[in-house]
Amino acid sequence: MKTTLSAVLNVIWLLFGGLWLALGYFAAGILCCILIVTIPFGIASFRIGLYALWPFGRTIVDRGPNVGFFSTIGNVIWIIVAGIWIAIGHVITAIPMFISIIGIPLGIANLKLIPVSLVPLGKVIVPSDAVLPTYQRA
C-alpha cells in the first residue's frame, strides 16, 4: 500500500512540476560538468535531479560527521552562489502547492528538497524504508 501511494504521488509530482524541476537540475549538472572545476557540483546536481524526479519513497541523510574539508568548503561556495536562491525557489513554489488538498504532499516534497539543494555535498539519498545507521557510517 505504501509503495502504491508513493507511486501515485510520484506520478502526480512528475506531471505538476517534478519533470521541469529535474530538467533544471540536469541542465545545471551538465553546465557544471562542462566547467571542469565544478564537476562535484555537477554530480550533486544530477543526484538532486534524480531525487526531484521521483521524491516519494526516498529521503535524505547525512553521510556522517567526517564529510571532509573540501565538501565543507564546496558547500559554503554552493550556498553563496546557488543554494540560497534554489532554496528560496523551492519555498516560493511550495506555497501554491499547499493551496489544494491534493497539493499538500507535493508542497511537502518540494520543501524536502531544500536541505539537499542548500548543501548538497555530504548528503546521500536513500529509500525511506532503509536502515539509517547503515548509511551514516564514516
Side-chain angles (χ1 to χ4, degrees), residues 49-73:
L50 289 174
Y51 181 58
L53 197 59
W54 209 253
F56 293 97
R58 298 192 293 169
T59 190
I60 304 160
V61 295
D62 291 324
R63 287 185 192 239
N66 301 325
V67 292
F69 175 74
F70 292 112
S71 291
T72 304
I73 296 299

Side-chain angles (χ1 to χ4, degrees), residues 43 67 70 73 80 87 124-125 127 132:
I43 294 169
V67 292
F70 292 112
I73 296 299
I80 294 169
V124 65
I125 299 163
L132 294 180

Side-chain angles (χ1 to χ4, degrees), residues 10 30 35 74 80 88 94 111 137:
N10 278 322
I30 291 169
L35 307 169
I80 294 169
I88 290 169
L111 295 178
R137 291 185 198 154

Side-chain angles (χ1 to χ4, degrees), residues 51-110:
Y51 181 58
L53 197 59
W54 209 253
F56 293 97
R58 298 192 293 169
T59 190
I60 304 160
V61 295
D62 291 324
R63 287 185 192 239
N66 301 325
V67 292
F69 175 74
F70 292 112
S71 291
T72 304
I73 296 299
N75 278 331
V76 169
I77 293 169
W78 178 267
I79 287 171
I80 294 169
V81 173
I84 193 73
W85 303 111
I86 295 171
I88 290 169
H90 281 299
V91 170
I92 290 171
T93 56
I95 291 170
M97 291 180 177
F98 282 111
I99 293 174
S100 70
I101 292 177
I102 197 159
I104 291 172
L106 304 179
I108 292 170
N110 210 345

Side-chain angles (χ1 to χ4, degrees), residues 35-57:
L35 307 169
I36 305 296
V37 177
T38 56
I39 288 177
F41 298 125
I43 294 169
S45 291
F46 290 132
R47 189 175 63 238
I48 299 168
L50 289 174
Y51 181 58
L53 197 59
W54 209 253
F56 293 97

